Amino acid sequence: MGRLVVVSNRVPTGMRSADTGGLATALKGALSSGGLWFGWSGEIAPDEAAAEVVRSRIDGNIVFSVLDLTEQDLEEYYFGYSNRSLWPILHYRIDLADFRREHYAGYLRVNRRFARILAEQVKSNDTIWIHDYHLIPLAQELRRLGLRNKIGFFLHIPWPSPDIWAALPEHRKLLSSFEAYDLIGLQTEFDAENFIQSVAREGLEALIPAEKVAAFPISIETKEFAAVASTAGNHPLARKLATSLRGRKLMIGVDRLDYTKGIGQRMGCFGRFLEMVPAARGKVVYLQVTPKTRSEVPEYMQIQREVAEIAGRINGAYGDIDWVPIWYMNRTIRREALAGLYRLADVGLVTPLRDGMNLVAKEYVAAQDEADPGVLVLSRFAGSSHEMDGALLVNPYDEDETAAAIEKALAMPLDERQARWRGMFERLRTHDVECWRESFLRALEPSRPVLKVAS
Ligand code: ADP
Ligand code: G6P
């Protein structure tokens, strides 16, 4: 049995808080019997020659191999094609997509370079697992170089209906490149169905048979997260928050500042709730924790301005000398502190306009106190809504419905909260991230031994 080679645009370098996140830990677990993790360092190379140099770091029996990108790569491959063409299209936002031939050329150039340099490090019996939209053509490039290894792909974000996919100028070429994979994993059955329909629309069924495509809903480290949350109330940030609330109810939103997350719409729904239920004024606080992301992309600059403006407008309209309705923070928070904030919150507001899975919804549930759990208000357009059936499901575009769900959540009696929470927690306990990882790898290679995360 060869090693597992994981490839993703982001590689945990030990520097970012995301390094301790569910995905990083899950994949580290998958690599526990020895493996390689390959991708972008997150750094910029001073020139083209420097972008050819691999930097490797060994951590236990895992080798992390990373490459820098040039300024031009960053512009064309990362900000351009990945985040201004593919990201909006795959999230159903044709209106926000920007298509430029040079961005596509840069995307292919980086995928080719990654393939060339990765091929030198791969052994013939290694299994390769490629992640996310930045690296769709990577397997085809590896095949061109003669690699015959098993190669799987997992898309962390949604796959839209065939008509939306067809708006991408290179849709047919890029779709054909999936031929090089032995297994294509998507988040939900809906995404898998859309993908299979896109293949059929292009008449590519012979190249990409439906048997190669399946849903593998990603999850979190449920047990570990729940354990962290159970003591997280002592974290200084959680204590500070509890004091500042002065007995008020708390609703929480935690998202990257991305237009797919529907943060502005969510604030609008909260405003509608305050309008509809005057008795709630002064008695509830909505905390939105939102680190900035991809700030050089114009659509992200725009959303930053919009969200700040909406928060200001609602606070201006409803706030009082001793009560600010929306607490808005642009920062990342350490995992232990985040778990503490989730646990304090009476309501988790997770209302993306479109999301592949949304792990925040799962983390919120895992962090709750069984004796007094909070209520999850969840968008029906998040992949997690297919599993989190105890949530109050909402259409995030519908202010009245979402405002009514907020009202219902804040007033929900304990026995109903517990009944809803138990079912969701049980689902997360039996379908954690280890289960996701193992079911993908077993489907890719049925003879692979089952791995356990080293504890
Ligand atoms: P996405 O992958 O689109 O950002 P997810 O909800 O699936 O959305 O995953 C986001 C991850 O990032 C979660 O693990 C969440 O805890 C983490 N995260 C989001 N916002 C913050 C924040 N402000 N501080 C720390 N971690 C955060
Ligand atoms: C989503 C994507 C990931 C990406 C992450 C953060 O979760 O699916 O591939 O790494 O967002 O975005 P960033 O652009 O900072 O890597």
Side-chain angles (χ1 to χ4, degrees):
M1 175 65 47
R3 302 171 306 170
L4 180 66
V5 176
V6 167
V7 192
S8 56
N9 179 57
R10 293 276 187 196
V11 176
T13 54
M15 306 290 288
R16 292 156 36 104
S17 60
D19 295 356
T20 51
L23 178 63
T25 315
L27 293 176
K28 271 189 195 163
L31 292 169
S32 62
S33 60
L36 172 68
W37 195 330
F38 184 87
W40 177 35
S41 61
E43 309 287 327
I44 302 304
D47 51 44
E48 284 184 18
E52 296 280 326
V53 180
V54 192
R55 280 181 283 128
S56 293
R57 176 173 67 84
I58 298 177
D59 184 352
N61 53 0
I62 307 176
V63 180
F64 292 90
S65 281
V66 292
L67 288 171
D68 296 347
L69 294 177
T70 64
E71 280 287 356
Q72 191 186 356
D73 296 336
L74 188 74
E75 203 47 51
E76 297 175 352
Y77 151 82
Y78 175 71
F79 287 126
Y81 203 72
S82 297
N83 288 316
R84 294 196 72 194
S85 300
L86 288 174
W87 178 270
I89 285 290
L90 291 169
H91 285 91
Y92 298 65
R93 294 298 301 267
I94 305 179
D95 60 317
L96 295 182
D98 179 74
F99 305 122
R100 301 191 191 190
R101 295 299 182 268
E102 68 270 24
H103 290 173
Y104 183 55
Y107 180 74
L108 291 181
R109 181 181 65 243
V110 170
N111 271 273
R112 272 188 203 127
R113 187 187 316 133
F114 272 30
R116 186 163 39 76
I117 296 172
L118 175 62
E120 289 164 9
Q121 306 203 5
V122 171
K123 299 179 185 136
S124 62
N125 60 348
D126 288 345
T127 299
I128 304 173
W129 190 5
I130 296 171
H131 290 263
D132 238 356
Y133 57 103
H134 316 84
L135 300 172
I136 293 171
L138 190 65
Q140 189 176 51
E141 297 299 334
L142 289 169
R143 298 286 186 223
R144 283 194 181 127
L145 296 167
L147 265 73
R148 304 181 60 176
N149 308 55
K150 281 267 181 206
I151 311 183
F153 178 83
F154 185 77
L155 184 69
H156 291 254
I157 65 178
W159 190 277
S161 66
D163 278 342
I164 294 182
W165 173 247
L168 184 75
E170 302 79 16
H171 67 280
R172 189 178 160 83
K173 240 179 153 167
L174 208 53
L175 191 61
S176 318
S177 74
F178 278 98
E179 178 203 1
Y181 291 103
D182 297 295
L183 177 65
I184 299 148
L186 296 121
Q187 293 278 23
T188 67
E189 296 293 344
F190 274 36
D191 299 308
E193 238 171 64
N194 282 340
F195 183 84
I196 290 167
Q197 280 173 16
S198 302
V199 169
R201 183 72 68 84
E202 297 301 322
L204 296 171
E205 302 96 320
L207 281 185
I208 310 164
E211 300 75 64
K212 277 191 182 183
V213 182
F216 299 91
I218 199 169
S219 194
I220 59 168
E221 294 176 281
T222 310
K223 242 178 37 220
E224 290 76 0
F225 202 80
V228 169
S230 67
T231 56
N234 293 325
H235 192 281
L237 192 65
R239 286 221 300 268
K240 192 156 119 189
L241 177 60
T243 311
S244 315
L245 281 171
R246 290 192 278 125
R248 295 183 174 109
K249 292 221 170 190
L250 174 68
M251 304 204 297
I252 193 166
V254 176
D255 320 71
R256 284 181 304 103
L257 186 38
D258 194 298
Y259 52 79
T260 61
K261 303 291 182 185
I263 302 167
Q265 284 85 349
R266 190 183 306 163
M267 289 178 173
C269 295
F270 179 58
R272 177 64 65 91
F273 161 73
L274 294 175
E275 184 190 336
M276 278 168 35
V277 189
R281 296 179 199 164
K283 302 206 178 75
V284 57
V285 164
Y286 162 26
L287 169 65
Q288 178 64 49
V289 189
T290 292
K292 290 185 181 166
T293 174
R294 305 174 196 166
S295 299
E296 289 173 47
V297 173
E299 292 75 24
Y300 286 74
M301 295 174 187
Q302 167 80 12
I303 196 80
Q304 281 177 28
R305 282 193 296 270
E306 270 173 30
V307 170
E309 208 180 288
I310 297 169
R313 200 166 58 229
I314 292 170
N315 283 340
Y318 296 103
D320 208 336
I321 301 291
D322 60 351
W323 172 61
V324 178
I326 302 179
W327 295 356
Y328 181 48
M329 286 164 42
N330 289 132
R331 53 179 274 201
T332 49
I333 289 182
R334 293 185 65 81
R335 231 167 157 61
E336 315 80 70
L338 193 57
L341 303 193
Y342 285 142
R343 197 170 172 97
L344 266 181
D346 301 281
V347 178
L349 277 181
V350 183
T351 57
L353 305 178
R354 191 65 62 171
D355 214 326
M357 178 52 59
N358 198 298
L359 294 177
V360 167
K362 294 188 170 184
E363 290 169 356
Y364 176 76
V365 170
Q368 296 308 300
D369 177 0
E370 184 175 3
D372 187 19
V375 181
L376 178 63
V377 174
L378 179 60
S379 162
R380 60 181 79 249
F381 305 125
S384 49
S385 69
H386 298 247
E387 294 175 89
M388 298 293 97
D389 56 3
L392 296 180
L393 290 190
V394 296
N395 169 359
Y397 296 95
D398 182 344
E399 280 196 353
D400 288 339
E401 186 193 45
T402 309
I406 290 173
E407 186 181 9
K408 181 171 174 183
L410 286 168
M412 193 179 284
L414 178 64
D415 54 349
E416 183 178 350
R417 281 188 276 131
Q418 284 177 323
R420 286 175 176 272
W421 175 81
R422 268 190 215 112
M424 293 193 286
F425 188 74
E426 186 53 19
R427 169 79 194 177
L428 290 179
R429 206 181 55 71
T430 51
H431 292 78
D432 63 1
V433 74
E434 189 179 334
C435 163
W436 166 76
R437 186 189 74 216
E438 287 308 316
S439 49
F440 184 91
L441 290 174
R442 303 276 300 171
L444 179 60
E445 246 187 329
S447 60
R448 235 190 136 71
V450 176
L451 290 172
K452 286 274 164 212
V453 181
S455 51

